[in-house]
Amino acid sequence: MTVDVLARPTRADRQARAAVAVLFLTNGALFANLLPRYPQIKADLGIGNAAYGLAVAAFPTGAIAAGLAAGVLVRRLGSARVAVAGTLLTGAGALAAGLADSVAAFAAALFLAGAMDAITDVAQNAHGLRVQRRYGRSIINSLHAIWSVGAVTGGAMAAGAIALDLSRGQHLLVSGVLFGIAACVALRYCLPGPDTEPAAQEDGTPGRDAPHDRNGTAPRRTAYVLAALVLIATAGTLVEDAGNSWAALYLSDSLRASATLAASGFIALVGAQFVGRLIGDRLVDRFGQRQVARAGGLIAAAGMGLSLAVPTVPGTVLGFAAAGFGVATLVPAAMHEADELPGLKPGSGLTIVSWLMRLGFLLSPPVVGLVADEAGLRAGLLVVPLAGLLVLLLAGVLQPRRT
């Protein structure tokens, strides 16, 4: 791991860690307030599963369209400023989606929200990794755990708003203003200065900008590892999307759960994901990211596979929880290792993984929707155990336990 300083974190460093944690929390909470509203929006618009899946795919489409711009914006404006601006615009997009009166308006609002979320995601992770280098030890999983806290908070807020019969406009306006203010306050305590980092390791060994070897082995190895990291991160996003886009629908439509109870599938997934990320740094330090990822892939595949084989409301909620716990460390691990790959410019690996992993969010909704229309949503959710198996196959590119 590259480091910026060798001394213990200063007060400013600790404040910056708290500030970037707030950015992760607001990013998790904003869109989570909208997700449990999806069944109501789908019903009000009168659309089927396939059309709904295509409309929801506008979110990752916007993310892919704007994702590569994040690196340029971060270099010009700074990661903290970009993260806060993206947060404000994500909240505006979520509000517009909740108020949409047509499929086209719904998709357009999700496109905007997805584009801003992608930029925010890269920027907040860039700032989080910058703070991590100041600390000289891993903190990235704990920051993603805070994202999960935000997602649980947002989901719970939505469930409460539904129970109180608040309109979508009232609910999403309150959440947008609340978390927008929090992000603006956090900006004051983020690290100042440009987002740059050294090209050499603490011990003087070559860093990420080390020259390629003559026979091209290093570039080929870097490309292979980067591709595998993209797939691992994508597997994590596929599981997250199952909770985001389909958990409430599956519980309410297929298993006849109430609207309030149907929200528990998403909350269980992100809640268990939070627990996994909260203990993730300690697990990785003890067992290595490779073994943690393999165990997580197995838990996700077995837990969700069993809940689909024997469908009940409690079993399905537990299945989503197992899936969330299993993939908890995948995206942070892929981002961190991509950011440390040799032969790449600073931030390039992180941007590439962040951008391409969103293909999971783009491809998953329409594919699951088409399968659901043909064979039922239960069959469409097989994407979750399949993602867990993919992680088992590719986890070898992650770091083993340090001896």
Side-chain angles (χ1 to χ4, degrees):
M1 179 188 302
T2 57
V3 294
D4 290 335
V5 295
L6 302 180
R8 293 179 60 184
T10 64
R11 179 183 178 185
D13 296 333
R14 294 191 296 270
Q15 289 177 337
R17 181 178 180 178
V20 75
V22 170
L23 296 181
F24 272 82
L25 184 142
T26 57
N27 182 248
L30 274 175
F31 205 65
N33 269 278
L34 175 64
L35 295 173
R37 294 287 195 168
Y38 274 5
Q40 293 177 335
I41 295 173
K42 178 176 179 289
D44 289 347
L45 296 179
I47 55 178
N49 287 326
Y52 167 77
L54 289 171
V56 171
F59 184 89
T61 301
I64 291 174
L68 290 181
V72 176
L73 292 172
V74 166
R75 287 191 292 271
R76 292 183 177 179
L77 303 176
S79 55
R81 291 179 180 177
V82 172
V84 172
T87 296
L88 297 176
L89 292 173
T90 299
L95 175 61
L99 296 175
D101 56 2
S102 68
V103 176
F106 179 54
L110 290 182
F111 184 92
L112 170 64
M116 295 303 101
D117 180 75
I119 291 173
T120 303
D121 187 44
V122 173
Q124 70 186 12
N125 274 283
H127 205 78
L129 289 170
R130 184 181 171 195
V131 174
Q132 176 172 279
R133 287 188 291 273
R134 299 288 291 256
Y135 269 71
R137 58 183 173 82
S138 177
I139 64 170
I140 192 65
N141 280 299
S142 66
L143 293 176
H144 281 258
I146 298 299
W147 183 94
S148 296
V149 171
V152 171
T153 301
M157 286 175 62
I162 293 171
L164 294 173
D165 200 28
L166 292 180
S167 70
R168 291 195 295 270
Q170 292 172 326
H171 161 217
L172 295 172
L173 178 61
V174 169
S175 67
V177 171
L178 175 64
F179 294 113
I181 291 174
C184 290
V185 172
L187 178 61
R188 178 181 178 184
Y189 299 98
C190 288
L191 292 176
D195 288 84
T196 58
E197 54 188 308
Q201 303 286 359
E202 174 189 352
D203 59 4
T205 58
R208 289 179 298 174
D209 294 323
H212 299 173
D213 60 69
R214 293 179 181 178
N215 61 14
T217 300
R220 286 198 297 270
R221 169 66 179 172
T222 296
Y224 164 74
V225 173
L226 186 60
L229 292 175
V230 168
L231 290 175
I232 289 171
T234 300
T237 62
L238 284 172
V239 175
E240 288 185 22
D241 181 71
N244 293 351
S245 301
W246 301 104
L249 283 176
Y250 179 63
L251 285 163
S252 62
D253 292 353
S254 300
L255 301 183
R256 300 293 186 266
S258 66
T260 302
L261 183 58
S264 63
F266 168 73
I267 295 173
L269 186 144
V270 294
Q273 190 178 57
F274 162 71
V275 173
R277 287 173 172 173
L278 190 65
I279 64 177
D281 290 321
R282 292 192 294 272
L283 290 175
V284 169
D285 287 341
R286 181 171 182 178
F287 301 106
Q289 185 59 66
R290 184 180 300 173
Q291 289 302 107
V292 172
R294 283 175 174 164
L298 181 61
I299 290 172
M304 196 64 192
L306 181 60
S307 70
L308 292 173
V310 186
T312 63
V313 171
T316 298
V317 172
L318 290 176
F320 278 113
F325 183 82
V327 304
T329 65
L330 295 184
V331 172
M335 287 183 169
H336 173 256
E337 296 212 15
D339 200 47
E340 298 292 329
L341 281 175
L344 297 177
K345 293 181 179 180
S348 296
L350 171 62
T351 300
I352 291 171
V353 168
S354 299
W355 184 59
L356 289 179
M357 77 176 185
R358 292 177 178 273
L359 287 174
F361 286 120
L362 174 63
L363 298 176
S364 179
V367 169
V368 173
L370 290 171
V371 173
D373 279 347
E374 294 295 327
L377 187 50
R378 180 181 170 192
L381 287 175
L382 286 172
V383 67
V384 175
L386 291 176
L389 295 177
L390 179 64
V391 173
L392 285 173
L393 292 174
L394 298 176
V397 302
L398 298 172
Q399 291 297 317
R401 179 183 178 183
R402 295 180 181 179
T403 57

